[in-house]
Each structure stands twice: as C-alpha cells, then as structure tokens.
Amino acid sequence: MIKSLIKRVLGWFRRANASRKGSAAYWTVHMVANDDFQTAEESLSHFHWRNAQYPGYIELMPVSGQNDKVVLDYGCGPGNDLVGFSEFSDPSKLYAVDVSQTALETAKRRLALHEQEAEFIQIDESVNEIPVPSESIDYIHTSGVLHHCANLEAVLEEFHRILKPDGEVAVMVYNYDSIWLHLYVAYIWQLDLGKYTNLPVLEAFRRSTDGENCPVSHCYAPSQFLEICGNSGFGGDFTGSSISLKELKCLERRFDAIRDKRLPSVHRDFLCNLRFDDRNIPLHDGSVAGIGACYSLRKINS
C-alpha cells in the first residue's frame, strides 16, 4: 500500500514537472492507453474496448471507408486509430503524426503487430509544421487532440495547406454542451467534492479531463468551433457527439445538482432542459450531450 502511494505521488510530480515543459513533455509522461500488447488480437480487442467506453464515437469518427486514400492521423498517440485504419481501411499511405517521440515509438510497435506500416512524424508543437507536400492528403483524422493545442489556428492553417481540394478533416474535440462540463465539473467536482471552487468552470474543466496538470484542455460549443474553423478557410458540419460511460454514470446526480442553490443557472438550465432518446442517452438541442463533439470539415477557399 505504501509502495502504491509512493508510486502515485512520484507520478504526480513527474506529470507536474512535464506540464511546465509543454505538451510534448506532458504527453510523453501521460500517454493515453499505453498497454504493452503482445499480439494483434490483444491490440484489436483493446481498440474495440476503448471505443465501447464512448458510445457513438466510432460511428462519428469512422476508420473505415478510406481505401486507396492518403490518410494522416494527427495526434496519433499510442496508435489506437492507426490500428483501426489498418484493419478496416486500405489506405494508399498512412501518416502518423504526434508531438511525442515516445508515443510514436509505441504506435510503431503496435502497428507492427498488425503487419502494417505508416510514416511516423514527430512535429514541434511551437511551430506546428507538418513535413508533407501541399495538397497531398485526402483525409485528416484528429481525435481528442485539437483541444490540447496551444495555437489551434496555426494547426488549422497547416491542415488547410496539406489537404487536397476535395479532401476531408474528421475532428473530435471536447464539447462545452456536455454532461462532463455542466454536471461532472460544475457540480460534482466543484460543489460536491469542493475541488477548484476558486476557479472558473472552464479552468476546472481543463484539470478534469487528462490529468490535473494537463497544460492545455479547451472545450467548445459547436458554433464556436465552426467559427474558428471558418476563419482558417474551412466549412463544415457538427456531426454529433459521443458520450462517455463516466458521463452516463454521473446522470444519477442530475437532480441533486438541479436542487442545489449554489449551482449557477447556466448549468441548472442545461440539466433541466435535457431530453432523452430511446436508449436513455441525454440530448441537448437534439444532439447527444456528451464530451466528444465531432465535425466534418472541408476547404471553402484555396
């Protein structure tokens, strides 16, 4: 028990120190889903398990249908979606891009289990340049990454440069209109557990998603995110949201939150106005009220 506590404390200090050095250092220490798979079967089983933790995700961010396309996974991490593209599409070329060399090495080992290849590229987070030719990519897939970028506009401009005129960008970013923000952070974290009560809710949100020392973690309402993309030459659609099992579990606290007079009205109104589909999934303005907001973007100007 003491060894476990020491390990957790040392891990916290490593992540805190890495956070001060920027995203590349942080995501090297805090790598998502870094299992040591021994076989392709274990790796693929994890792919399916991880997607099951976010109902609706894989339908909104599919890894199928990209046969004979040049595909770039931006922020590939340890390679979960690279496995998906390898197993369920047959791209003519697959690029794997990340700020963390450790993540890229992990992804390369995992992809080798599936007897698949990709070109692995480490980028500098301060520059955001992707060393591929202009208008050479058919499909950019970026899942759970852009909300961690310190300079989102620079990343989008680079996407615009490398994407073919008829190409597509599939994006998942954190959703403001979510159970995560309005119930888990605003009520359970800040009011019930008393965590970060002195911080604005968006700053508390940053600490709630990928470790409390995560250097950058934004969330966006769909109209806000599409406006940002439009300023970089993209048109597109909000295609819907996936919801985490954690959010679904939190719903049992919904009425406690609504009854609490301390809860700001913006969160109470959100929770009061939820509707539920036939699967008992919460909806906000007709869309799933989950943390994973997904978008399909295309160039509107060259």
Side-chain angles (χ1 to χ4, degrees):
M1 185 174 181
I2 294 176
K3 288 183 178 179
S4 177
L5 178 60
I6 292 172
K7 184 177 180 180
R8 289 199 300 271
V9 171
L10 290 175
W12 185 90
F13 277 111
R14 284 196 297 270
R15 290 188 291 273
N17 184 56
S19 178
R20 290 189 288 270
K21 297 178 180 179
S23 293
Y26 183 79
W27 290 109
T28 293
V29 172
H30 191 82
M31 198 175 354
V32 178
N34 181 25
D35 290 359
D36 185 19
F37 304 109
Q38 299 300 310
T39 66
E41 290 73 19
E42 287 180 6
S43 171
L44 189 58
S45 177
H46 179 83
F47 170 85
H48 292 301
W49 173 85
R50 182 165 174 76
N51 290 338
Q53 309 311 298
Y54 301 89
Y57 168 80
I58 196 61
E59 292 81 7
L60 293 168
M61 292 289 289
V63 291
S64 60
Q66 300 304 321
N67 294 352
D68 302 317
K69 300 289 183 66
V70 179
V71 175
L72 186 145
D73 187 352
Y74 185 85
C76 66
N80 201 58
D81 288 339
L82 293 174
V83 167
F85 284 114
S86 296
E87 291 285 341
F88 304 110
S89 288
D90 185 20
S92 60
K93 187 172 182 62
L94 182 59
Y95 289 100
V97 177
D98 206 278
V99 297
S100 168
Q101 184 61 35
T102 301
L104 291 168
E105 291 169 358
T106 301
K108 187 174 184 178
R109 289 194 299 271
R110 186 174 176 190
L111 209 56
L113 294 174
H114 297 264
E115 299 182 347
Q116 298 291 336
E117 295 183 353
E119 183 171 336
F120 293 87
I121 301 172
Q122 183 181 13
I123 59 169
D124 184 336
E125 62 186 303
S126 64
V127 179
N128 293 301
E129 292 180 353
I130 305 171
V132 302
S134 297
E135 297 190 349
S136 63
I137 307 297
D138 293 294
Y139 189 77
I140 300 173
H141 175 94
T142 181
S143 179
V145 176
L146 298 191
H147 48 237
H148 294 309
C149 294
N151 191 341
L152 175 58
E153 290 78 8
V155 176
L156 289 171
E157 288 173 8
E158 188 69 345
F159 284 1
H160 196 277
R161 180 186 70 80
I162 67 175
L163 191 69
K164 292 181 179 180
D166 59 349
E168 180 185 358
V169 185
V171 179
M172 187 279 278
V173 291
Y174 290 148
N175 186 18
Y176 177 86
D177 297 329
S178 62
I179 297 299
W180 192 286
L181 183 128
H182 293 284
L183 180 57
Y184 177 61
V185 176
Y187 176 68
I188 296 175
W189 253 39
Q190 291 193 294
L191 296 182
D192 189 43
L193 298 178
K195 299 183 71 169
Y196 302 114
T197 55
N198 60 323
L199 296 180
V201 69
L202 291 179
E203 180 60 21
F205 175 90
R206 174 179 71 83
R207 299 167 184 263
S208 74
T209 56
D210 297 272
E212 296 185 37
N213 296 300
C214 185
V216 181
S217 186
H218 298 295
C219 63
Y220 305 92
S223 59
Q224 177 190 14
F225 187 74
L226 288 172
E227 180 178 0
I228 293 170
C229 294
N231 292 336
S232 295
F234 287 103
D237 298 296
F238 166 56
T239 55
S241 295
S242 61
I243 192 165
S244 65
L245 296 184
K246 187 170 188 173
E247 289 174 286
L248 293 175
K249 176 66 175 175
C250 286
L251 281 172
E252 63 191 31
R253 304 297 310 280
R254 175 186 172 218
F255 293 116
D256 294 336
I258 292 170
R259 291 185 62 199
D260 195 316
K261 292 181 178 180
R262 298 173 297 168
L263 187 70
S265 60
V266 63
H267 308 303
R268 180 179 298 106
D269 292 346
F270 179 91
L271 296 172
C272 284
N273 291 322
L274 291 174
R275 298 294 181 265
F276 293 82
D277 66 14
D278 56 7
R279 303 167 298 165
N280 210 31
I281 300 293
L283 307 177
H284 169 74
D285 286 346
S287 297
V288 171
I291 192 170
C294 299
Y295 302 84
S296 175
L297 306 177
R298 295 185 181 275
K299 287 184 177 183
I300 54 176
N301 57 56
S302 300

